[in-house]
């Protein structure tokens, strides 16, 4: 592998560091980081911690002050009334309403199929011993729908619609102001998705208010939805007080391509995710050196015409990578090591990767599909693990809103006495004498009753 003077992406994402091996894939383009992520992360952590503490102490007053400071937004009330929602929805073009409804129908349909796959269980494991579990919806959920740089209409579908399918009792939804006020299309999506309360409020202050509660906000049990680095850090710090969907960082794309792929499609799909933000990794993994160089050239060309090139270009410069592999097996191993959020497969046999890959947020098989479909409309959820978290978790889905809770019932004295004898001996090994007495009491009582 050639030497590079640039700061390696592995210094920022250490879990991506490759194992030293003579057959290690070769970088055609390395990520060159514009700054030290660790230092930036420390500043974000400190800022978020102070905002959360302020909201916890001063409640609504702190929320309003932060909204004024960060978003220049201080309406008479942050929650939209039913009349205000109707006025905003009426501003949305009929075709856009139809498109939103179509997208939500796809997300709802797939979520319902997923929900149907989750079954309650009750089984008699021994004579007189019944065990089971129930899938119980979370009671109150706070859905954050981002909208700072771009109004993320689709995020309303992904969180609110999915929570509603799961049977969540109450859904509070927050989205920041966009260009000085509520974004009508986003509000329409939140309303049509089934939100019970809609607030035009963004940032850490919104997430903290939903989690901690104020006079205005009833505290929720769980926070879901994507957001910028500050929102993601707020969810991390609030985890434990409330549940969260997952820890998420800047969005990522990994394109896996062989010599059947073309540079235009590879470049288009890489930049399509890079435009999310200046720290969004975009990686091409290929067995074709010709495609590798052609894609780099094509990215440069597209950046001269892409309207969001000011963002995508920085992401590509600082976090873009092109990695050349010696074989398809090597690409599979490298992809699993990277564990990217979005993995797009442009090869002769895309479904081989479905069979072989283990670490990814979502998989997009073949040139006819792409990450944008998943982000906006196809039906799977776009809130996915980043920064290598796909090694241990999947993304947001209907099951995230369900608590799988077990129960036990011993229906006969004989069964209780039998289990009790085993339990008593096992408790004695651990010297848990109070536990042992719970078992012994039932052995004495029910073994005697059974004998009688």
């Amino acid at each position: 592998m050639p030497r590079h003077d640039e700061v390696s992406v592995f210094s920022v994402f250490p879990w991506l560091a490759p194992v030293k091996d003579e057959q290690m894939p070769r970088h055609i383009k390395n990520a060159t980081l514009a700054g030290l992520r660790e230092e930036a992360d420390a500043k974000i952590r400190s800022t978020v911690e102070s905002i959360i503490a302020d909201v916890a102490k001063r409640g609504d007053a702190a929320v309003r002050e932060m909204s004024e400071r960060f978003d220049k937004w201080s309406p008479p009330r942050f929650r939209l009334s039913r009349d205000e929602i109707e006025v905003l929805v009426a501003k949305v073009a009929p075709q856009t309403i139809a498109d939103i409804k179509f997208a939500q129908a796809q997300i709802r349909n797939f979520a319902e199929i997923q929900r149907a796959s989750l079954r309650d269980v009750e089984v008699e494991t021994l004579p007189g011993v019944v065990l089971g579990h129930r899938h119980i919806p979370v009671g109150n959920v706070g859905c954050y729908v981002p909208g700072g740089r771009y109004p993320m209409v689709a995020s309303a579908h992904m969180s609110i619609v999915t929570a509603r399918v799961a049977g969540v009792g109450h859904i509070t939804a927050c989205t920041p102001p966009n260009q000085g006020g509520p974004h009508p299309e986003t509000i329409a999506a939140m309303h049509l998705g089934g939100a019970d309360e809609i607030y035009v409020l963004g940032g850490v202050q919104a997430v903290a208010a939903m989690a901690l509660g104020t006079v205005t906000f009833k505290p929720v049990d769980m926070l879901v939805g994507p957001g910028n680095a500050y929102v993601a850090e707020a969810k991390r710090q609030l985890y434990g007080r409330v549940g969260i969907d997952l820890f998420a960082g800047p969005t990522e794309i990994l394109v896996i391509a062989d010599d059947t792929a073309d540079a235009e499609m590879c470049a288009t799909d890489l930049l399509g995710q890079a435009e999310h933000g200046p720290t969004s990794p975009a990686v091409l993994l290929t067995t074709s050196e010709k495609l590798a160089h052609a894609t780099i050239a094509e990215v440069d060309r597209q950046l001269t015409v892409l309207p969001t090139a000011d963002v995508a270009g920085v992401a590509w410069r600082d976090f873009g990578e092109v990695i050349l592999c010696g074989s398809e097996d090597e690409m599979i191993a490298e992809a699993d090591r990277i564990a990217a959020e979005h993995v797009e497969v442009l090869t002769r046999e895309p479904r081989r990767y479905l069979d072989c890959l283990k670490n990814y947020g979502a998989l997009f098989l073949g040139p006819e599909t792409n990450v944008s479909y998943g982000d906006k409309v196809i039906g799977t959820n776009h809130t996915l693990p980043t920064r290598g978290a796909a090694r241990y978790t999947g993304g947001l889905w209907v099951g995230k809103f369900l608590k799988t809770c077990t129960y036990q019932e011993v229906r006969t004295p004989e069964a209780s006495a039998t289990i009790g004898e085993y339990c008593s001996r096992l408790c004695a090994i651990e010297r848990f004498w109070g536990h042992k007495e719970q078992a012994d009491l039932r052995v004495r009582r029910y073994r005697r009753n059974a004998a009688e």
Side-chain angles (χ1 to χ4, degrees), residues 241-313:
R241 300 194 201 189
V242 294
I244 64 170
D245 44 4
L246 67 162
F247 298 116
T251 191
E252 310 159 348
I253 183 171
L254 172 66
V255 174
I256 301 174
D258 60 18
D259 58 2
T260 64
D262 66 87
E264 181 185 21
M265 184 171 286
C266 290
T268 298
D269 294 352
L270 289 166
L271 291 177
Q273 287 302 111
E275 74 176 357
H276 268 276
T279 58
S280 293
V283 182
L284 172 65
L285 199 59
T286 182
T287 50
S288 169
E289 187 162 1
K290 179 180 178 182
L291 178 66
H293 290 289
T295 299
I296 292 171
E298 179 63 14
V299 166
D300 291 341
R301 186 196 70 78
Q302 291 189 22
L303 284 172
T304 65
V305 296
L306 185 67
T308 52
D310 59 326
V311 175

Side-chain angles (χ1 to χ4, degrees), residues 11 93 122 140 177 199 204 252 294 357 370 428 433 435:
S11 66
E122 184 170 285
N140 296 282
Y199 292 82
V204 176
E252 310 159 348
L357 288 177
N370 63 80
W433 308 118
H435 283 63

Side-chain angles (χ1 to χ4, degrees), residues 13-28:
F13 304 111
W15 53 87
L16 301 186
V19 177
K20 294 189 180 298
D21 190 304
E22 291 181 358
Q23 302 301 316
M24 184 175 70
R26 177 164 62 94
H27 277 68
I28 303 297

Side-chain angles (χ1 to χ4, degrees), residues 49-103:
E49 187 175 14
S50 66
I51 294 173
I52 290 174
D54 198 17
V55 172
K57 182 179 180 180
R58 298 195 296 125
D60 287 333
V63 170
R64 183 167 294 279
E65 184 179 302
M66 298 299 171
S67 182
E68 290 174 342
R69 181 190 307 174
F70 297 122
D71 290 329
K72 305 295 187 293
W73 177 247
S74 184
R77 54 182 242 161
F78 293 108
R79 181 179 176 180
L80 294 177
S81 67
R82 181 174 296 276
D83 288 344
E84 288 170 325
I85 291 170
E86 290 177 355
V87 168
L88 287 164
V89 172
K91 293 180 179 179
V92 182
Q95 182 61 60
T96 301
I97 292 291
D99 291 343
I100 289 171
K101 288 182 176 180
F102 176 83

Side-chain angles (χ1 to χ4, degrees), residues 44-347:
I44 290 171
R45 282 195 298 272
S46 177
T47 299
V48 169
E49 187 175 14
S50 66
I51 294 173
I52 290 174
D54 198 17
V55 172
K57 182 179 180 180
R58 298 195 296 125
D60 287 333
V63 170
R64 183 167 294 279
E65 184 179 302
M66 298 299 171
S67 182
E68 290 174 342
R69 181 190 307 174
F70 297 122
D71 290 329
K72 305 295 187 293
W73 177 247
S74 184
R77 54 182 242 161
F78 293 108
R79 181 179 176 180
L80 294 177
S81 67
R82 181 174 296 276
D83 288 344
E84 288 170 325
I85 291 170
E86 290 177 355
V87 168
L88 287 164
V89 172
K91 293 180 179 179
V92 182
Q95 182 61 60
T96 301
I97 292 291
D99 291 343
I100 289 171
K101 288 182 176 180
F102 176 83
Q104 291 191 349
Q106 310 319 303
I107 282 88
R108 185 178 297 107
N109 179 54
F110 190 62
E112 288 173 347
I113 291 168
Q114 290 181 308
R115 180 64 184 89
S117 75
L118 298 170
R119 300 175 60 188
D120 291 347
V121 169
E122 184 170 285
V123 59
E124 188 173 28
T125 58
L126 292 168
V129 176
V130 174
L131 308 181
H133 73 226
R134 295 279 176 89
H135 297 294
I136 302 172
V138 173
N140 296 282
V141 167
C143 297
Y144 187 79
V145 180
R149 181 177 286 112
Y150 309 111
M152 298 287 287
V153 176
S155 289
H157 319 329
M158 304 298 172
S159 58
I160 297 168
V161 170
T162 309
R164 188 55 73 204
V165 170
V168 168
H170 188 89
I171 300 172
T172 302
C174 286
T175 190
N178 186 270
Q179 297 182 346
H183 184 258
E185 289 82 359
T186 303
I187 301 303
M190 295 164 81
H191 174 63
L192 293 171
D196 295 296
E197 300 178 64
I198 298 175
Y199 292 82
V200 182
L201 180 68
V204 176
Q205 59 272 17
V207 173
M210 287 192 287
L212 302 175
T214 69
V215 171
T216 299
F217 284 85
K218 179 182 178 181
V220 300
D221 303 311
M222 182 179 185
L223 290 169
V224 301
N228 63 19
Y230 291 89
V231 168
E233 174 61 19
K235 287 169 63 182
R236 189 191 70 80
Q237 292 189 21
L238 290 162
Y239 177 59
R241 300 194 201 189
V242 294
I244 64 170
D245 44 4
L246 67 162
F247 298 116
T251 191
E252 310 159 348
I253 183 171
L254 172 66
V255 174
I256 301 174
D258 60 18
D259 58 2
T260 64
D262 66 87
E264 181 185 21
M265 184 171 286
C266 290
T268 298
D269 294 352
L270 289 166
L271 291 177
Q273 287 302 111
E275 74 176 357
H276 268 276
T279 58
S280 293
V283 182
L284 172 65
L285 199 59
T286 182
T287 50
S288 169
E289 187 162 1
K290 179 180 178 182
L291 178 66
H293 290 289
T295 299
I296 292 171
E298 179 63 14
V299 166
D300 291 341
R301 186 196 70 78
Q302 291 189 22
L303 284 172
T304 65
V305 296
L306 185 67
T308 52
D310 59 326
V311 175
V314 173
W316 176 248
R317 180 194 69 201
D318 295 341
F319 290 90
E321 292 184 78
V322 177
I323 303 173
L324 183 64
C325 294
S327 67
E328 193 168 47
D329 287 342
E330 196 171 66
M331 284 204 295
I332 290 169
E334 189 73 357
D336 269 341
R337 179 185 64 79
I338 293 170
E341 177 190 19
H342 304 99
V343 177
E344 187 171 296
V345 182
L346 304 175
T347 64

Side-chain angles (χ1 to χ4, degrees), residues 375-403:
D375 275 354
K376 308 302 177 188
V377 67
I378 206 167
T380 53
N381 206 290
H382 78 190
T383 305
L384 300 166
T386 65
R387 291 190 170 189
R391 292 171 296 130
Y392 58 82
T393 187
L396 181 62
W397 70 297
V398 70
K400 288 277 188 178
F401 296 102
L402 300 170
K403 303 174 294 180

